[in-house]
């Protein structure tokens, strides 16, 4: 029997399903897992012990079902500077500004 650990990936030998342990609740004695298709399920510790599991490596494309991209991994507290901000065109001021009239 493999002990569950948050962040570890496992393969169910009977079904071939690949999943990650995403949460443990010691008080309720449950293990929450998430499959590649995004489905989340919860196992009772007794049921977990009956599963035939093997440790598995995280698949290369595990983020695909969640539609995550590289920007999702960026720190939201860090300033974001798009490439266009460094463009010389962005420093050109227009001759007129819409909505502003000279007095």
């Amino acid at each position: 029997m493999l002990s569950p650990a948050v962040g570890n990936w496992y393969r169910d030998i009977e079904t071939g399903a690949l999943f990650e342990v995403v949460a443990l609740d010691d008080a309720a004695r449950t293990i929450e897992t998430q499959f590649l298709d995004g489905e989340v399920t919860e196992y009772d510790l007794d049921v977990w012990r009956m599963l035939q599991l093997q440790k598995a490596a995280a698949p290369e494309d595990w983020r695909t079902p969640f539609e995550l991209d590289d920007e999702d991994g960026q720190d939201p507290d860090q300033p974001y500077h798009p490439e266009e901000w460094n463009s010389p065109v962005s420093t050109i001021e227009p001759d007129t500004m819409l909505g502003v009239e000279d007095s």
Side-chain angles (χ1 to χ4, degrees):
M1 181 203 69
L2 293 174
S3 297
V6 173
N8 285 359
W9 286 82
Y10 302 89
R11 181 177 307 279
D12 185 327
I13 296 171
E14 289 182 19
T15 64
L18 187 64
F19 60 88
E20 177 186 16
V21 172
V22 294
L24 298 173
D25 186 341
D26 293 330
R29 298 174 39 101
T30 58
I31 298 103
E32 190 171 313
T33 64
Q34 187 165 19
F35 292 88
L36 277 176
D37 63 0
E39 179 185 350
V40 176
T41 190
E42 187 175 88
Y43 293 103
D44 180 86
L45 186 57
D46 294 331
V47 172
W48 176 269
R49 289 180 178 154
M50 292 190 295
L51 295 173
Q52 294 181 5
L53 303 174
Q54 65 184 34
K55 280 194 173 185
E60 290 182 29
D61 61 346
W62 70 269
R63 294 165 24 141
T64 303
F66 310 110
E67 298 178 9
L68 300 174
D69 59 23
D70 291 336
E71 288 182 8
D72 292 324
Q74 294 178 351
D75 185 352
D77 294 330
Q78 295 296 318
Y80 177 67
H81 301 288
E83 303 269 336
E84 307 86 61
W85 287 2
N86 296 327
S87 171
V89 175
S90 65
T91 62
I92 299 173
E93 293 185 22
D95 292 335
T96 59
M97 294 181 65
L98 297 177
V100 178
E101 297 180 24
D102 290 336
S103 308

